Coordinates of all heavy atoms in Angstrom, one line a residue:
P1 N -20.4 0.3 -7.1 CA -19.2 -0.5 -6.8 C -19.2 -0.9 -5.3 O -18.6 -1.9 -5.0 CB -18.1 0.5 -7.1 CG -18.7 1.8 -7.2 CD -20.1 1.6 -7.7
F2 N -19.8 -0.2 -4.4 CA -19.8 -0.5 -3.0 C -20.6 -1.7 -2.7 O -20.3 -2.6 -1.9 CB -20.3 0.7 -2.2 CG -19.4 1.9 -2.4 CD1 -19.9 3.0 -3.1 CD2 -18.1 2.0 -1.7 CE1 -19.1 4.1 -3.3 CE2 -17.3 3.1 -1.9 CZ -17.8 4.2 -2.7
L3 N -21.7 -1.8 -3.5 CA -22.6 -3.1 -3.4 C -21.9 -4.2 -4.0 O -22.0 -5.4 -3.4 CB -24.0 -2.8 -4.1 CG -24.8 -4.0 -4.2 CD1 -25.2 -4.4 -2.8 CD2 -26.1 -3.8 -5.1
L4 N -21.3 -4.1 -5.1 CA -20.5 -5.2 -5.7 C -19.4 -5.6 -4.8 O -19.2 -6.8 -4.7 CB -19.9 -4.7 -7.1 CG -20.9 -4.4 -8.2 CD1 -20.2 -3.9 -9.4 CD2 -21.9 -5.5 -8.5
G5 N -18.8 -4.7 -4.1 CA -17.7 -5.1 -3.1 C -18.4 -6.0 -1.9 O -17.8 -7.0 -1.5
L6 N -19.5 -5.5 -1.4 CA -20.2 -6.2 -0.4 C -20.6 -7.6 -0.9 O -20.4 -8.5 -0.1 CB -21.5 -5.4 0.1 CG -22.3 -6.1 1.1 CD1 -21.5 -6.2 2.5 CD2 -23.6 -5.3 1.4
C7 N -21.1 -7.6 -2.1 CA -21.5 -9.1 -2.6 C -20.3 -9.9 -2.7 O -20.5 -11.1 -2.4 CB -22.2 -8.8 -4.0 SG -23.8 -8.1 -3.9
A8 N -19.3 -9.4 -3.1 CA -18.0 -10.2 -3.3 C -17.6 -10.7 -1.9 O -17.1 -11.9 -1.8 CB -16.9 -9.4 -4.0
E9 N -17.6 -9.8 -0.9 CA -17.2 -10.3 0.6 C -18.1 -11.3 1.0 O -17.7 -12.1 1.8 CB -17.2 -9.0 1.3 CG -16.2 -8.0 1.1 CD -16.4 -6.7 2.0 OE1 -17.2 -6.8 2.9 OE2 -15.7 -5.7 1.7
R10 N -19.3 -11.3 0.8 CA -20.3 -12.2 1.3 C -20.6 -13.4 0.4 O -21.5 -14.3 0.8 CB -21.7 -11.4 1.6 CG -21.5 -10.3 2.5 CD -21.3 -10.7 4.0 NE -21.3 -9.7 4.9 CZ -20.4 -8.8 5.1 NH1 -19.2 -9.0 4.5 NH2 -20.4 -7.8 5.9
G11 N -19.9 -13.5 -0.7 CA -20.1 -14.7 -1.6 C -21.4 -14.7 -2.3 O -22.0 -15.7 -2.7
V12 N -21.9 -13.5 -2.6 CA -23.2 -13.3 -3.3 C -22.8 -13.0 -4.8 O -22.2 -11.8 -5.1 CB -24.1 -12.2 -2.9 CG1 -25.3 -12.0 -3.7 CG2 -24.5 -12.5 -1.3
S13 N -23.1 -13.8 -5.7 CA -22.7 -13.6 -7.1 C -23.7 -12.7 -7.7 O -24.9 -12.6 -7.4 CB -22.7 -14.8 -8.0 OG -24.0 -15.5 -8.0
V14 N -23.1 -11.7 -8.7 CA -24.0 -10.8 -9.4 C -23.8 -11.0 -10.9 O -22.7 -11.0 -11.3 CB -23.6 -9.3 -9.1 CG1 -24.6 -8.4 -9.8 CG2 -23.6 -9.1 -7.5
S15 N -24.8 -11.4 -11.5 CA -24.8 -11.7 -13.0 C -25.6 -10.6 -13.8 O -26.7 -10.2 -13.3 CB -25.4 -13.1 -13.3 OG -24.6 -14.1 -12.8
F16 N -25.0 -10.2 -15.0 CA -25.7 -9.2 -15.8 C -26.1 -9.8 -17.1 O -25.2 -10.5 -17.7 CB -24.8 -8.1 -16.0 CG -24.5 -7.2 -14.8 CD1 -23.4 -7.5 -14.0 CD2 -25.3 -6.2 -14.4 CE1 -23.1 -6.7 -12.9 CE2 -25.1 -5.4 -13.3 CZ -23.9 -5.7 -12.5
L17 N -27.3 -9.7 -17.5 CA -27.8 -10.3 -18.7 C -28.6 -9.3 -19.5 O -28.9 -8.1 -19.1 CB -28.8 -11.5 -18.5 CG -28.4 -12.8 -17.7 CD1 -28.0 -12.5 -16.3 CD2 -29.5 -13.9 -17.9
T18 N -28.7 -9.5 -20.9 CA -29.5 -8.6 -21.6 C -30.9 -8.7 -21.2 O -31.3 -9.7 -20.4 CB -29.4 -9.0 -23.1 OG1 -30.0 -10.2 -23.3 CG2 -28.0 -9.0 -23.5
E19 N -31.8 -7.8 -21.6 CA -33.1 -7.8 -21.2 C -33.8 -9.1 -21.7 O -34.7 -9.6 -21.1 CB -33.9 -6.6 -21.8 CG -35.4 -6.4 -21.3 CD -35.9 -5.0 -21.8 OE1 -35.2 -4.3 -22.5 OE2 -37.0 -4.7 -21.4
A20 N -33.4 -9.6 -22.9 CA -33.9 -10.9 -23.3 C -33.3 -12.1 -22.6 O -34.0 -13.3 -22.7 CB -33.8 -11.1 -24.7
G21 N -32.4 -12.0 -21.8 CA -31.9 -13.1 -21.0 C -30.6 -13.7 -21.4 O -30.1 -14.7 -21.0
R22 N -29.9 -12.9 -22.4 CA -28.6 -13.5 -22.8 C -27.5 -13.1 -21.9 O -27.4 -12.0 -21.4 CB -28.2 -13.0 -24.2 CG -26.9 -13.5 -24.8 CD -26.7 -13.1 -26.3 NE -26.8 -11.6 -26.4 CZ -25.7 -10.9 -26.2 NH1 -24.5 -11.4 -25.8 NH2 -25.7 -9.5 -26.5
F23 N -26.6 -14.1 -21.5 CA -25.6 -13.8 -20.5 C -24.6 -12.8 -20.9 O -24.1 -12.9 -22.1 CB -25.0 -15.0 -20.0 CG -23.8 -15.0 -19.0 CD1 -24.1 -14.8 -17.7 CD2 -22.5 -14.8 -19.5 CE1 -23.0 -14.6 -16.8 CE2 -21.5 -14.7 -18.5 CZ -21.8 -14.5 -17.2
L24 N -24.2 -11.8 -20.0 CA -23.1 -10.9 -20.5 C -21.9 -11.0 -19.6 O -20.9 -11.1 -20.1 CB -23.8 -9.4 -20.3 CG -24.8 -9.0 -21.3 CD1 -25.5 -7.7 -20.9 CD2 -24.4 -9.1 -22.7
A25 N -22.1 -10.9 -18.2 CA -21.0 -10.9 -17.4 C -21.4 -11.3 -15.9 O -22.6 -11.3 -15.6 CB -20.3 -9.4 -17.3
R26 N -20.4 -11.7 -15.2 CA -20.7 -12.0 -13.8 C -19.6 -11.5 -12.9 O -18.4 -11.5 -13.2 CB -20.7 -13.6 -13.8 CG -20.9 -14.3 -12.4 CD -20.8 -15.8 -12.5 NE -21.0 -16.5 -11.3 CZ -22.2 -16.9 -10.8 NH1 -23.3 -16.7 -11.5 NH2 -22.2 -17.6 -9.6
V27 N -20.0 -11.1 -11.8 CA -19.0 -10.5 -10.7 C -19.1 -11.4 -9.7 O -20.1 -11.8 -9.0 CB -19.5 -9.2 -10.3 CG1 -18.6 -8.5 -9.1 CG2 -19.7 -8.1 -11.4
Q28 N -17.9 -12.0 -9.3 CA -17.6 -13.0 -8.3 C -16.5 -12.6 -7.4 O -15.4 -12.0 -7.9 CB -17.4 -14.3 -8.9 CG -17.3 -15.5 -7.9 CD -18.6 -15.8 -7.4 OE1 -19.7 -15.7 -8.1 NE2 -18.7 -16.4 -6.1
G29 N -16.5 -12.9 -6.1 CA -15.5 -12.5 -5.2 C -14.3 -13.5 -5.4 O -14.3 -14.3 -6.2
P30 N -13.2 -13.4 -4.5 CA -12.2 -14.3 -4.6 C -12.6 -15.7 -4.5 O -13.4 -16.1 -3.7 CB -11.2 -13.9 -3.4 CG -11.7 -12.5 -3.1 CD -13.1 -12.4 -3.4
V31 N -11.9 -16.5 -5.2 CA -12.1 -18.0 -5.2 C -11.6 -18.6 -3.8 O -10.6 -18.3 -3.3 CB -11.3 -18.8 -6.3 CG1 -11.6 -20.3 -6.1 CG2 -11.9 -18.3 -7.7
S32 N -12.6 -19.3 -3.1 CA -12.3 -19.8 -1.8 C -12.2 -21.3 -1.7 O -12.3 -21.9 -0.6 CB -13.3 -19.3 -0.8 OG -14.6 -19.6 -1.1
G33 N -12.3 -21.9 -2.9 CA -12.4 -23.4 -3.0 C -11.1 -24.1 -2.6 O -10.1 -23.5 -2.5
N34 N -11.2 -25.4 -2.3 CA -10.1 -26.1 -1.8 C -9.2 -26.4 -3.1 O -9.7 -27.0 -4.1 CB -10.6 -27.5 -1.3 CG -9.4 -28.3 -0.7 OD1 -8.3 -28.2 -1.1 ND2 -9.8 -29.1 0.3
V35 N -8.0 -26.0 -3.1 CA -7.1 -26.1 -4.2 C -6.9 -27.5 -4.5 O -6.8 -27.9 -5.6 CB -5.8 -25.4 -4.0 CG1 -5.0 -26.0 -2.8 CG2 -5.0 -25.4 -5.3
L36 N -6.9 -28.5 -3.5 CA -6.8 -29.9 -3.8 C -7.9 -30.5 -4.5 O -7.8 -31.3 -5.4 CB -6.5 -30.6 -2.4 CG -5.3 -30.2 -1.6 CD1 -5.3 -31.0 -0.3 CD2 -4.1 -30.5 -2.4
L37 N -9.1 -29.9 -4.3 CA -10.3 -30.4 -5.0 C -10.2 -29.9 -6.5 O -10.5 -30.7 -7.4 CB -11.5 -29.8 -4.4 CG -12.8 -30.1 -5.2 CD1 -13.1 -31.6 -5.3 CD2 -14.1 -29.3 -4.6
R38 N -9.7 -28.7 -6.7 CA -9.5 -28.3 -8.1 C -8.4 -29.0 -8.9 O -8.6 -29.3 -10.1 CB -9.3 -26.9 -8.1 CG -10.4 -26.0 -7.6 CD -10.5 -24.6 -8.0 NE -11.7 -23.9 -7.6 CZ -12.4 -22.9 -8.1 NH1 -11.9 -22.5 -9.3 NH2 -13.5 -22.3 -7.7
L39 N -7.4 -29.5 -8.1 CA -6.5 -30.3 -8.8 C -7.0 -31.7 -9.1 O -6.7 -32.2 -10.3 CB -5.2 -30.4 -7.8 CG -4.4 -29.1 -7.7 CD1 -3.3 -29.5 -6.6 CD2 -3.7 -28.9 -9.0
A40 N -7.8 -32.2 -8.3 CA -8.5 -33.4 -8.6 C -9.4 -33.4 -9.8 O -9.6 -34.3 -10.5 CB -9.2 -34.0 -7.3
Q41 N -10.1 -32.3 -9.9 CA -11.0 -31.9 -11.0 C -10.2 -31.8 -12.3 O -10.6 -32.5 -13.3 CB -11.8 -30.6 -10.7 CG -12.7 -30.3 -11.9 CD -13.4 -28.9 -11.8 OE1 -13.1 -28.3 -10.6 NE2 -14.2 -28.5 -12.6
T42 N -9.0 -31.2 -12.3 CA -8.1 -31.1 -13.4 C -7.6 -32.5 -13.9 O -7.6 -32.8 -15.1 CB -7.0 -30.1 -13.2 OG1 -7.6 -28.9 -12.8 CG2 -6.2 -30.0 -14.4
R43 N -7.2 -33.3 -12.9 CA -6.8 -34.6 -13.2 C -7.8 -35.5 -13.8 O -7.5 -36.3 -14.7 CB -6.1 -35.3 -11.9 CG -4.8 -34.7 -11.4 CD -4.2 -35.6 -10.4 NE -5.0 -35.7 -9.2 CZ -4.8 -34.8 -8.2 NH1 -3.9 -33.9 -8.2 NH2 -5.5 -35.1 -7.1

């Protein structure tokens, strides 16, 4: 959990997949994107 916390702080995504490569989950830190950009994306 301490590594996951460090990755979240530094913007390093961590993805977990099955051994064969099927996506399972992704750990990502707080969203830091521009809210105006996301509003434009939604529109």
Side-chain angles (χ1 to χ4, degrees):
F2 302 103
L3 175 63
L4 295 178
L6 175 65
C7 290
E9 291 174 7
R10 299 293 187 272
V12 176
S13 62
V14 183
S15 296
F16 294 93
L17 290 73
T18 66
E19 193 174 358
R22 182 173 60 84
F23 178 82
L24 294 174
R26 179 181 177 92
V27 178
Q28 185 74 30
V31 175
S32 59
N34 188 332
V35 66
L36 298 179
L37 174 59
R38 295 198 176 215
L39 287 174
Q41 181 183 0
T42 302
R43 286 194 295 268

